[in-house]
Amino acid sequence: MTSLDDLRPRLPSPLDEVVDDRFARYGIRLLLKRDDLIHPELIGNKWRKLAPNLTAAAGRTVLTFGGAYSNHLRATAAAGRLLGLPTVGVVRGQELADRPLNPSLARCTADGMRLHFIDRSTYRRKSEAETLAAILRAAGAEEAYVVPEGGSNARAVLGCRALGQELRGRADLVALACGTGGTLAGLAAGLAPDQRALGVPVLKGGFLTDGIRALQHDAFGGPRGTWTLDDRFHCGGYARTTPELEAFATDFERRHAVPLERLYVAKLLYGLVTLAEEGAFPRGTTIAAVVTGRPFP
């Protein structure tokens, strides 16, 4: 098995200032934390969350969960190919089993991941011990190392703490888009006491607060850091966008030559522009926005 060190991650990731009049007119500096440049295939927070779990797997098959367009499934599959690890992806939606694979799932199989489709009701109960055991049996992976959906567990949170530590003293506010909340849970723990973190959830439902608290409890024994969420910028839910968001992302790319992943990063930056216009940030504020991924080809 190839060592994680052999993959040569670019750490710490670059921190670049961008001059954008939508922030500058309010006296705000915008920095981009380019976690999308950590590794060409294990991108951004996927590296930070997967690396400690891959080490813990110690060569065993890695089984994890995701939807049909899951960035996490693709990253896990790529890691398996690069490291010589067998991987199994449990995909939400039994009805997808008889359909042609979309480009995201096709990439997973091309990287050697074995896909196992389950119905949505079972998927919702996957964290229950009996249901998980049944899934592992059905997938022929009873001895596998299990990574939860989105890669968020205590090990992942501990891995993401380094992101906050890399940003200590560099910004007043660190902002990122959130799926399962593991990156924010670790990031907030790594920041200095006078810094705060802002999460922009990309799923509807307002459920992340309790999840982040639980992840911090599992990783650190209790709450860490100062963090808040703003639930207004999901654009209809996960894997959904709007024409307005698409226009914003295209314009941002034109202005700054930074490719914007639409399902997370574009929603984050769109939210930050809106908050700046609303007067949410005092003049003189420096914001570091974490670029957690890049567009899927």
Side-chain angles (χ1 to χ4, degrees):
M1 174 181 159
T2 300
S3 164
L4 283 168
D5 291 337
D6 293 336
L7 300 184
R8 297 182 178 87
R10 185 180 183 183
L11 292 170
S13 59
L15 184 65
D16 300 330
E17 183 168 4
V18 295
V19 178
D20 191 306
D21 65 311
R22 292 168 294 188
F23 294 92
R25 68 170 64 113
Y26 301 109
I28 299 165
R29 289 178 69 216
L30 178 65
L31 311 177
L32 298 183
K33 178 64 168 165
R34 297 296 303 275
D35 264 21
D36 58 317
L37 301 178
I38 287 177
H39 188 274
E41 295 189 77
L42 301 182
I43 298 165
N45 61 341
K46 302 310 176 191
W47 172 276
R48 296 186 189 274
K49 293 198 287 186
L50 274 174
N53 278 292
L54 293 169
T55 299
R60 286 180 287 164
T61 296
V62 174
L63 178 143
T64 193
F65 301 83
Y69 294 92
S70 169
N71 293 326
H72 169 66
L73 285 184
R74 288 202 307 273
T76 305
R81 174 175 56 78
L82 292 167
L83 297 171
L85 281 174
T87 57
V88 178
V90 179
V91 183
R92 180 179 63 247
Q94 181 63 48
E95 72 278 5
L96 301 174
D98 299 322
R99 299 178 186 174
L101 297 178
N102 66 32
S104 184
L105 293 178
R107 173 66 66 84
C108 291
T109 59
D111 280 340
M113 176 174 274
R114 180 163 57 85
L115 301 180
H116 178 71
F117 297 87
I118 63 174
D119 66 85
R120 294 168 188 271
S121 175
T122 301
Y123 192 92
R124 285 193 293 270
R125 304 194 311 275
K126 63 187 179 299
S127 60
E128 299 172 5
E130 290 185 8
T131 301
L132 177 59
I135 291 170
L136 294 177
R137 285 195 301 271
E142 292 177 86
E143 304 302 318
Y145 178 85
V146 178
V147 178
E149 182 178 27
S152 290
N153 58 11
R155 285 191 175 94
V157 171
L158 289 167
C160 290
R161 179 171 54 183
L163 173 59
Q165 292 169 337
E166 289 173 23
L167 287 164
R168 281 192 162 217
R170 307 298 297 275
D172 303 296
L173 173 73
V174 180
L176 76 163
C178 301
T180 51
T183 306
L184 178 61
L187 161 70
L191 293 174
D194 61 343
Q195 294 175 291
R196 63 188 181 94
L198 170 67
V200 174
V202 302
L203 289 82
K204 291 193 297 184
F207 58 87
L208 267 189
T209 297
D210 289 344
I212 293 167
R213 287 172 178 162
L215 285 166
Q216 288 198 328
H217 183 272
D218 291 344
F220 308 116
R224 293 290 187 278
T226 302
W227 55 270
T228 56
L229 299 173
D230 193 317
D231 289 295
R232 295 179 291 158
F233 306 110
H234 52 69
C235 296
Y238 184 69
R240 296 189 179 183
T241 61
T242 64
E244 186 178 18
L245 181 71
E246 180 62 38
F248 168 83
T250 300
D251 176 65
F252 194 96
E253 291 173 330
R254 178 186 58 79
R255 290 173 183 239
H256 304 298
V258 175
L260 283 197
E261 186 275 330
R262 290 340 192 225
L263 306 186
Y264 286 86
V265 182
K267 293 178 181 181
L268 165 67
L269 291 166
Y270 179 78
L272 289 176
V273 167
T274 302
L275 287 165
E277 292 171 347
E278 292 174 351
F281 311 121
R283 294 188 71 85
T285 297
T286 297
I287 300 172
V290 184
V291 182
T292 49
R294 63 168 174 262
F296 180 58

